């Protein structure tokens, strides 16, 4: 309460080898982003909206240091005013609202020692009651369109007859839970009676239900080793009045489907080759990338199939068929963006919906209104929640769950593209430090995935380009050929390539990047990738010495051992290495494996791997580490105990993220102090 002037003094002592020029002192609250912001700030887990469009739910999580765990809760808002209605915590942390087809009813479930309980809450009446209790192995559930019943799935697990040994019927059986079978059930909400809808030797998956709630579509997957992908998805329609099931079609690379509002057609999302050549748009000498999901209209009466996205470049991620208009809304991977498009069923035209963000994380549409709610972010703008009005195309901010970002200064993100030798345009972007000065020289990090997906423009992520830039690096991200979202011809380059054309794109792109950015020191250039990108790191440094340091997380060093040992190697390779196997394509499995070219590596390499990785087995890094040690190369191997392909456990993720930055500091800034402080000088 003193009215006297306040005086505050501080003294800063800086020891060698740093100077006072390395540090900035300010009384302003503005600062650069860090790993702490990435891990400790609130995160949006999901969004949803009531059937009448009047209430939106936001599921949020935040790190609780005292509990050493994430705290989760759900907040409900009025969509038009943004007014907070209620916040549910405690036991409600398990709440994931699944809104009913009318009004403001939603279902959610809680779990206990005896199984799961399904609840229904009515916000208008202020009631919440259990409708189904103690269900073991309860899976997902959906409301019927008439609101009279709920369709749900239950998993049944086969118990082994002998726990001392395990016998496998097919390679996929190695995956834990793969022998569990899912069956569809129905809950009548009027009298709480329950009935089982599917049974048999094969697992069944619910897909969609007609608007009159009289029929549903379900799928079954059949394994066959006659031809890739060694599995077919069979689609059936089940009449809920007489329980007759009729076969619709069977396709490879099948995905999901939903009924049209009039129940006469199915919107099917599947690979380009799922219905033969009807969905393919590539030259005859290419094999389609069947991860490049397309959309089809299937006429139930005639069996006729229409490929509606064949000449539409973005990849289809999900869809909403608006019963109140002649439009289907598609969430797409559009180059490095995650965007919303509308498809007019009358004109057959696509139109991009401007949601004012570069990346749509989650979007949900109301059943009986023009409102949708979504969360989105951009390259240097954190994720927030918005509402979208389909009639007016208005986008309004509903909630910023992390206002702390208002004090964080972000650097610019600018597009950068170049043309390959054959004239293909390769897109990319460049992240700048927040205090960028073009008169200075900067170290740079080149990041890529180079697999079947682009490096999208969402904020932060597991490989946080914003944080690398905040640590004084120019970061160049590029999208070499093979990624989805650029059209089928572009994505088809992924098939059977395994680092041939993609490596050329990355090397050429890096050379063009250096020419166009004279403030980047070509002697202080690093590269990093993960999974397929980790393979690309190893592959790149067998072909070029342009990089001064390289990081491979969960990378593949030998294509044969990855193909056979990982849970997903053989399955993924049915697309990435289509019709190519170790016995018929040694030019791929041997010649394109980095381990067989290890003697060509001169770049210091950091190998990172989850010690329990079931996707890319840890042996892929072990064998490259052994090879480079024998060759007397500069190589470091770090494993993260008990973690799988993704390093998500809080404490270990924190150390892993800082390990990457400190490694680059050591080699690209000549600042080994941080690295040495953690790992020592040897």
């Amino acid at each position: 309460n003193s009215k006297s002037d306040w005086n505050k003094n501080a003294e800063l002592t800086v020891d060698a080898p740093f100077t006072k020029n390395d540090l900035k002192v300010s009384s302003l609250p503005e600062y650069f982003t860090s790993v702490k912001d990435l891990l400790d700030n609130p995160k949006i887990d999901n969004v949803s909206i009531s059937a009448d469009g009047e209430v939106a739910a936001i599921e949020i999580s935040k790190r609780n240091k005292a509990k050493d765990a994430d705290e989760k809760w759900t907040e409900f808002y009025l969509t038009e005013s943004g007014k907070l209605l209620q916040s549910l915590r405690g036991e409600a942390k398990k709440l994931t609202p699944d809104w009913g087809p009318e009004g403001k009813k939603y279902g959610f479930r809680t779990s206990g020692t005896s199984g799961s309980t399904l609840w229904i809450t009515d916000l208008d009446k202020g009631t919440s009651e259990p409708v189904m209790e103690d269900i073991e192995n309860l899976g997902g559930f959906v409301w019927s369109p008439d609101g009279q019943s709920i369709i749900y799935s239950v998993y049944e697990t086969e118990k082994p007859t002998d726990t001392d040994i395990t016998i496998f019927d097919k390679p996929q059986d190695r995956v834990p839970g793969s022998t569990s079978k899912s069956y569809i059930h129905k809950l009548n909400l009027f009298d709480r009676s329950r009935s089982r809808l599917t049974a048999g030797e094969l697992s069944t998956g619910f897909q969609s239900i007609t608007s009159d709630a009289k029929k549903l579509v379900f799928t079954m997957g059949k394994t066959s080793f006659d031809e890739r992908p060694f599995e077919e998805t069979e689609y059936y329609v089940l009449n809920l009045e007489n329980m007759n099931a009729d076969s619709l079609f069977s396709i490879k690379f099948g995905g999901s489907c939903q009924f049209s509002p009039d129940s006469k057609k199915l919107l099917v999302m599947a690979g380009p080759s799922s219905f033969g050549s009807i969905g393919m748009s590539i030259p005859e000498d290419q094999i389609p990338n069947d991860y490049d999901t397309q959309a089809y209209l299937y006429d139930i009466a005639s069996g006729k199939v229409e490929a509606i996205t064949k000449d539409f470049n973005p990849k289809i991620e999900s869809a909403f068929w608006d019963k109140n208009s002649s439009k289907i809304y598609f969430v797409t991977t559009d180059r490095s963006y995650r965007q919303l498009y509308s498809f007019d069923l009358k004109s057959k035209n696509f139109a991009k919906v401007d949601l004012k963000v570069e990346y749509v994380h989650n979007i949900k549409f109301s059943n009986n209104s023009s409102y949708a709610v979504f969360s989105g972010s951009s390259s240097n703008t954190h994720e927030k929640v918005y509402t979208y009005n389909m009639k007016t195309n208005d986008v309004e901010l509903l909630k910023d769950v992390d206002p702390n970002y208002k004090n964080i200064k972000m650097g610019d993100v600018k597009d950068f593209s170049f043309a390959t030798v054959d004239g293909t345009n390769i897109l990319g972007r460049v992240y700048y430090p927040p205090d960028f000065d073009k008169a200075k020289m900067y170290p740079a990090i080149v990041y890529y995935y180079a697999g079947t997906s682009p490096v999208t423009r969402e904020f932060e992520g597991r490989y946080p380009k914003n944080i690398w830039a905040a640590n004084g690096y120019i970061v160049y991200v590029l999208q070499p050929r093979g990624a989805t979202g650029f059209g089928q011809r572009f994505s088809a380059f992924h098939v059977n390539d395994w680092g041939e054309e993609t490596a050329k794109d990355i090397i050429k792109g890096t050379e063009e990047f250096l020419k166009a950015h004279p403030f980047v020191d070509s002697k202080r250039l690093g590269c990093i990738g993960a999974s397929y990108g980790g393979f690309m790191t190893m592959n790149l440094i067998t072909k070029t010495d342009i990089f001064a340091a390289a990081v491979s997380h969960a990378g593949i060093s030998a294509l044969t051992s990855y193909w056979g040992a990982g849970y997903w190697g053989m399955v993924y390779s049915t697309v990435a290495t289509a019709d190519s196997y170790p016995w018929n394509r040694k030019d791929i499995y041997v010649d394109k494996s980095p381990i067989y070219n290890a003697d060509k590596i001169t770049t210091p390499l950091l190998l990172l791997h989850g010690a329990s990785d079931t996707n890319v087995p840890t042996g892929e890094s072990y064998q490259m580490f052994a090879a480079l040690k024998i060759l007397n190369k500069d190589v470091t191997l770090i494993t993260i105990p008990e973690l799988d392909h993704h390093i998500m456990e809080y404490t270990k993720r924190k150390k892993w993220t800082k390990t990457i930055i400190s490694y680059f500091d050591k080699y690209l800034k000549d600042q080994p102090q941080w690295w040495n402080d953690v790992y020592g000088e040897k």
Side-chain angles (χ1 to χ4, degrees):
N1 295 324
S2 172
K3 295 182 180 180
S4 303
D5 290 338
W6 285 83
N7 211 9
K8 186 176 289 186
N9 296 306
E11 182 177 330
L12 180 67
T13 302
V14 183
D15 294 329
F18 298 101
T19 69
K20 288 186 177 180
N21 291 330
D22 292 319
L23 301 170
K24 291 185 178 181
V25 181
S26 172
S27 62
L28 297 175
E30 185 178 81
Y31 65 99
F32 297 170
T33 188
S34 68
V35 178
K36 180 180 182 298
D37 301 305
L38 171 69
L39 300 181
D40 292 349
N41 288 0
K43 299 291 185 291
I44 301 164
D45 292 340
N46 208 347
V47 297
S48 59
I49 190 168
S50 61
D52 58 15
E54 294 182 6
V55 177
I58 307 172
E59 297 169 55
I60 305 170
S61 61
K62 187 181 187 302
R63 185 71 185 168
N64 186 317
K65 294 182 180 179
K67 296 181 179 179
D68 192 26
D70 282 348
E71 209 171 20
K72 298 177 181 290
W73 68 95
T74 301
E75 296 177 351
F76 292 81
Y77 291 86
L78 292 176
T79 52
E80 288 197 1
S81 66
K83 179 183 176 182
L84 176 65
L85 287 179
Q86 60 178 334
S87 180
L88 297 179
R89 294 174 180 259
E91 187 64 23
K93 67 185 179 182
K94 301 171 184 175
L95 169 67
T96 299
D98 191 292
W99 295 93
E102 300 289 342
K104 301 181 186 65
K105 281 186 181 180
Y106 63 83
F108 70 98
R109 69 180 185 181
T110 56
S111 299
T113 55
S114 301
S116 298
T117 297
L118 183 63
W119 301 72
I120 290 182
T121 295
D122 190 324
L123 290 181
D124 286 327
K125 294 181 179 179
T127 59
S128 186
E129 59 178 338
V131 294
M132 193 167 61
E133 299 181 72
D134 299 332
I135 305 299
E136 290 187 19
N137 301 319
L138 177 64
F141 67 92
V142 297
W143 291 74
S144 64
D146 59 4
Q148 301 302 306
S149 60
I150 283 179
I151 307 297
Y152 64 98
S153 62
V154 174
Y155 290 89
E156 297 180 9
T157 304
E158 293 182 359
K159 294 182 179 180
T161 55
D162 189 335
T163 57
D164 292 330
I165 59 173
T166 303
I167 186 169
F168 297 105
D169 180 55
K170 52 187 181 298
Q172 295 90 328
D173 290 347
R174 294 174 52 226
V175 181
S178 62
T179 56
S180 296
K181 297 172 184 176
S182 173
Y183 299 107
I184 305 170
H185 298 246
K186 178 182 177 182
L187 167 67
N188 188 316
L189 292 173
F190 177 72
D191 59 9
R192 309 292 169 83
S193 61
R194 304 197 297 264
S195 56
R196 179 168 175 163
L197 303 181
T198 60
E201 288 298 313
L202 296 176
S203 183
T204 55
F206 171 82
Q207 291 292 323
S208 185
I209 187 168
T210 56
S211 56
D212 60 8
K214 292 182 179 180
K215 295 180 179 179
L216 64 77
V217 167
F218 68 90
T219 54
M220 293 194 302
K222 277 192 174 181
T223 300
S224 170
F225 291 100
D226 293 337
E227 59 180 339
R228 68 178 184 95
F230 314 123
E231 187 171 88
E232 284 194 38
T233 303
E234 297 182 334
Y235 289 73
Y236 293 86
V237 60
L238 175 65
N239 189 317
L240 295 174
E241 293 183 313
N242 58 24
M243 291 303 293
N244 288 332
D246 294 319
S247 175
L248 290 172
F249 53 84
S250 179
I251 58 174
K252 295 177 172 64
F253 305 106
S256 61
C257 74
Q258 58 182 271
F259 277 107
S260 61
D262 62 7
S263 303
K264 294 181 179 179
K265 294 183 178 182
L266 287 176
L267 173 63
V268 182
M269 286 164 280
S273 69
S274 292
F275 290 97
S277 61
I278 189 173
M280 293 164 50
S281 180
I282 54 172
E284 290 185 2
D285 61 344
Q286 282 190 309
I287 299 173
N289 181 341
D290 278 293
Y291 291 126
D292 199 346
T293 307
Q294 304 294 304
Y296 303 85
L297 290 179
Y298 176 85
D299 186 277
I300 297 174
S302 67
K304 182 181 178 182
V305 179
E306 180 185 0
I308 60 176
T309 59
K310 178 178 179 179
D311 299 311
F312 179 63
N313 285 341
K315 174 190 174 183
I316 304 302
E317 300 291 347
S318 63
F320 169 75
W321 199 320
D322 183 14
K323 69 178 183 180
N324 301 311
S325 71
S326 61
K327 293 180 179 179
I328 301 174
Y329 288 88
F330 289 107
V331 177
T332 70
T333 294
D334 182 10
R335 298 162 297 164
S336 59
Y337 299 81
R338 179 69 63 86
Q339 298 290 328
L340 182 68
Y341 280 83
S342 65
F343 175 72
D344 192 298
L345 289 155
K346 295 178 180 178
S347 67
K348 305 295 184 181
N349 290 328
F350 286 90
K352 181 181 173 182
V353 179
D354 185 7
L355 294 182
K356 315 297 182 186
V357 296
E358 294 178 347
Y359 189 91
V360 178
H361 292 262
N362 295 289
I363 185 167
K364 299 291 170 53
F365 297 84
S366 59
N367 194 46
N368 299 316
S369 82
S370 62
Y371 272 108
V373 62
F374 70 94
S375 65
S377 67
S378 297
S379 301
N380 56 0
T381 304
H382 68 283
E383 187 179 3
K384 304 173 187 176
V385 181
Y386 305 83
T387 58
Y388 167 61
N389 189 315
M390 289 180 279
K391 286 184 178 179
T392 64
N393 282 326
D394 290 335
V395 174
E396 300 289 344
L397 177 67
L398 179 66
K399 177 67 175 178
D400 182 354
V401 303
D402 192 2
N404 292 328
Y405 272 102
K406 67 183 179 183
N407 292 325
I408 297 179
K409 182 179 180 182
M410 293 290 176
D412 291 334
V413 179
K414 298 181 180 179
D415 292 336
F416 176 75
S417 62
F418 68 94
T420 63
V421 175
D422 65 359
T424 303
N425 193 41
I426 303 297
L427 302 183
R429 59 189 184 275
V430 179
Y431 293 74
Y432 291 78
D435 58 350
F436 173 69
D437 182 353
K438 64 180 180 181
K440 292 182 179 180
M441 293 296 289
Y442 289 87
I445 297 171
V446 179
Y447 181 73
Y448 39 76
Y449 174 54
T452 192
S453 302
V455 181
T456 47
R457 301 175 77 104
E458 73 268 34
F459 187 67
E460 292 180 337
R462 292 192 301 273
Y463 306 93
K465 282 73 69 178
N466 311 83
I467 293 176
W468 298 345
N471 277 271
Y473 292 96
I474 303 290
V475 182
Y476 172 41
V477 177
L478 75 160
Q479 316 286 356
R481 281 171 288 183
T484 57
F486 296 81
Q488 288 190 40
R489 189 169 187 273
F490 193 94
S491 68
F493 275 102
H494 182 66
V495 181
N496 284 321
D497 180 68
W498 284 100
E500 192 66 35
E501 296 302 321
T502 49
K504 293 177 184 177
D505 289 351
I506 294 171
I507 294 170
K508 172 70 171 174
T510 302
E511 292 171 347
E512 295 298 322
F513 162 73
L514 290 172
K515 290 178 187 177
H517 301 83
F519 43 80
V520 173
D521 188 342
S522 62
K523 302 297 184 183
R524 297 190 291 155
L525 200 62
C527 65
I528 177 173
S531 195
Y532 194 99
F535 157 78
M536 279 308 305
T537 290
M538 297 187 208
N539 181 45
L540 276 171
I541 59 178
T542 68
K543 300 176 181 293
T544 181
D545 59 1
I546 195 173
F547 300 107
V551 177
S552 168
H553 170 226
I556 302 162
S557 63
L559 298 181
T560 305
S561 55
Y562 162 70
W563 174 82
Y567 281 174
W568 320 113
M570 186 196 76
V571 176
Y572 172 69
S573 296
T574 60
V575 175
T577 326
D579 295 320
S580 299
Y581 306 98
W583 54 88
N584 68 359
R585 290 297 301 270
K586 291 180 181 178
D587 61 315
I588 292 179
Y589 285 89
V590 174
D591 296 348
K592 295 184 179 182
S593 292
I595 192 70
Y596 294 104
N597 296 284
D599 57 330
K600 299 172 185 174
I601 293 175
T602 59
T603 304
L605 175 63
L606 171 62
L607 297 163
L608 295 167
H609 224 117
S612 300
D613 196 332
T614 56
N615 185 337
V616 178
T618 316
E620 295 300 315
S621 286
Y622 288 168
Q623 57 196 4
M624 180 57 81
F625 177 67
L628 294 180
K629 276 296 181 182
I630 292 172
L631 291 165
N632 199 27
K633 306 290 186 177
D634 187 339
V635 61
T636 303
L637 170 66
I638 292 177
T639 61
I640 300 89
E642 301 174 349
L643 292 195
D644 203 332
H645 198 55
H646 303 297
I647 312 302
M648 300 301 290
E649 186 180 307
Y650 179 83
T651 302
K652 294 173 183 177
R653 184 182 179 187
K654 191 173 184 180
K655 293 178 180 178
W656 166 73
T657 304
K658 291 182 176 182
T659 292
I660 293 171
I661 303 172
S662 62
Y663 184 81
F664 281 135
D665 280 0
K666 176 182 177 181
Y667 284 93
L668 305 184
K669 291 183 179 179
D670 194 25
Q671 292 179 358
Q673 291 82 4
W674 190 4
W675 176 272
N676 292 344
D677 184 60
V678 178
Y679 297 108
E681 294 188 16
K682 293 186 179 181

